[in-house]
Amino acid sequence: MLERLEVDRVIAVQSEAIDSEELFPVTRELIYNYDFGDNWIVIITKHKDCDNLLKQNIIDEYELEEAKDTVLSKHKPVCINKDGISVLDNVGGLSGFADLLGTIYEGEDKEERASVRAWAQSLGWNTRKVSNKMML
């Protein structure tokens, strides 16, 4: 996809009609293969607004304003919510990620556990909520 295309125009909201006579929007989701070596498949969708996320306390007003500022100042889309695990670079895909978690939580070698945990944290992994800034 060309970087100059506006993602907002390309993706339709789930309830929005896609008209074959119109150029945009063209789809309700983008399927993105991130890090071909690890083969992470990320599905990107668009929602009409953030009201549900705010009402359910999934995001707060500050996070929403920060995302809006990034979109307006840097002209790039921002992920404000995800469903599923966080994508980490260079872990070997889903099976490597499972091995990483196995080492962190069940590894018998304390030094290896600490080393793997520190490496994962340097990539943005956290046992709690991952910051939107660290998301793909």
Side-chain angles (χ1 to χ4, degrees):
M1 183 164 76
L2 296 173
E3 288 183 22
R4 65 180 170 262
L5 286 177
E6 297 176 28
V7 174
D8 185 49
R9 292 182 60 207
V10 173
I11 303 176
V13 175
Q14 295 302 316
S15 61
E16 187 177 355
I18 297 176
D19 186 349
S20 61
E21 301 296 316
E22 296 292 322
L23 184 58
F24 294 111
V26 297
T27 186
R28 287 191 180 80
E29 65 184 22
L30 292 176
I31 299 172
Y32 177 47
N33 187 331
Y34 176 76
D35 190 348
F36 288 107
D38 286 354
N39 200 35
W40 291 109
I41 303 298
V42 178
I43 298 173
I44 302 168
T45 60
K46 174 182 164 185
H47 295 272
K48 184 176 180 182
D49 56 42
C50 299
D51 291 345
N52 278 349
L53 297 175
L54 290 167
K55 287 177 187 172
Q56 296 173 22
N57 292 320
I58 293 171
I59 63 168
D60 60 31
E61 291 286 343
Y62 175 76
E63 289 173 303
L64 183 58
E65 287 304 314
E66 191 174 47
K68 286 179 182 179
D69 288 345
T70 300
V71 169
L72 294 173
S73 66
K74 296 183 179 177
H75 308 287
K76 70 176 200 172
V78 175
C79 176
I80 59 171
N81 185 45
K82 69 168 181 67
D83 207 10
I85 63 173
S86 297
V87 173
L88 289 181
D89 286 327
N90 303 318
V91 296
L94 190 55
S95 64
F97 186 69
D99 290 342
L100 174 117
L101 293 178
T103 301
I104 289 173
Y105 290 111
E106 298 174 354
E108 293 181 17
D109 183 334
K110 287 184 179 185
E111 284 184 32
E112 182 183 26
R113 278 196 333 245
S115 173
V116 169
R117 181 183 290 265
W119 178 76
Q121 288 173 332
S122 76
L123 295 174
W125 177 83
N126 188 315
T127 57
R128 294 177 297 281
K129 181 180 177 184
V130 175
S131 167
N132 292 330
K133 294 175 191 174
M134 300 300 287
M135 286 186 206
L136 172 68

